[in-house]
Amino acid sequence: MSLQITYKYLPSSAEPTDDELSKAELVGVRQVADGEDLPRQEIGEVIRVRDSRHGDEVRSFEVVKVSAPPSVGDFLGEPSAMIDNLDVYVTDAE
């Protein structure tokens, strides 16, 4: 099972509050294949991502928030599958 990383854009004037995060624009989605090293997505890091809003042009963004990775839990006695989706919120790199 592969990990899906969803990149979402926040304007530089927005604070990463729940309200603002819910309004974030989709930049792109990346699939990380089994066996591939998980890319580092740390707050403050500048990353290059294909921006679907601009014809898949590769652009530089600064990471402002990374959603916490989900944990495997137990729901009504049934082990749940790990949700393999990570949301990375970005803004324009300075």
Side-chain angles (χ1 to χ4, degrees):
M1 186 178 276
S2 63
L3 172 71
Q4 176 176 292
I5 302 174
T6 304
Y7 296 96
K8 297 180 180 182
Y9 177 80
L10 286 174
S12 58
S13 60
E15 292 293 323
T17 62
D18 288 342
D19 185 48
E20 291 295 330
L21 295 177
S22 70
K23 299 175 193 173
E25 292 180 69
L26 178 66
V27 171
V29 177
R30 177 172 179 216
Q31 299 292 329
V32 179
D34 288 341
E36 181 181 350
D37 288 338
L38 181 64
R40 292 176 43 154
Q41 312 290 331
E42 296 180 10
I43 294 173
E45 180 179 5
V46 175
I47 59 174
R48 295 185 51 80
V49 177
R50 290 189 183 279
D51 189 345
S52 62
R53 304 168 306 150
H54 296 279
D56 284 337
E57 173 187 346
V58 177
R59 300 181 64 211
S60 294
F61 295 98
E62 181 179 344
V63 176
V64 293
K65 181 172 177 64
V66 178
S67 66
S71 59
V72 175
D74 198 60
F75 183 71
L76 298 176
E78 294 290 323
S80 64
M82 170 129 354
I83 299 170
D84 292 317
N85 187 24
L86 184 66
D87 289 330
V88 177
Y89 295 90
V90 298
T91 194
D92 296 308
E94 295 180 8

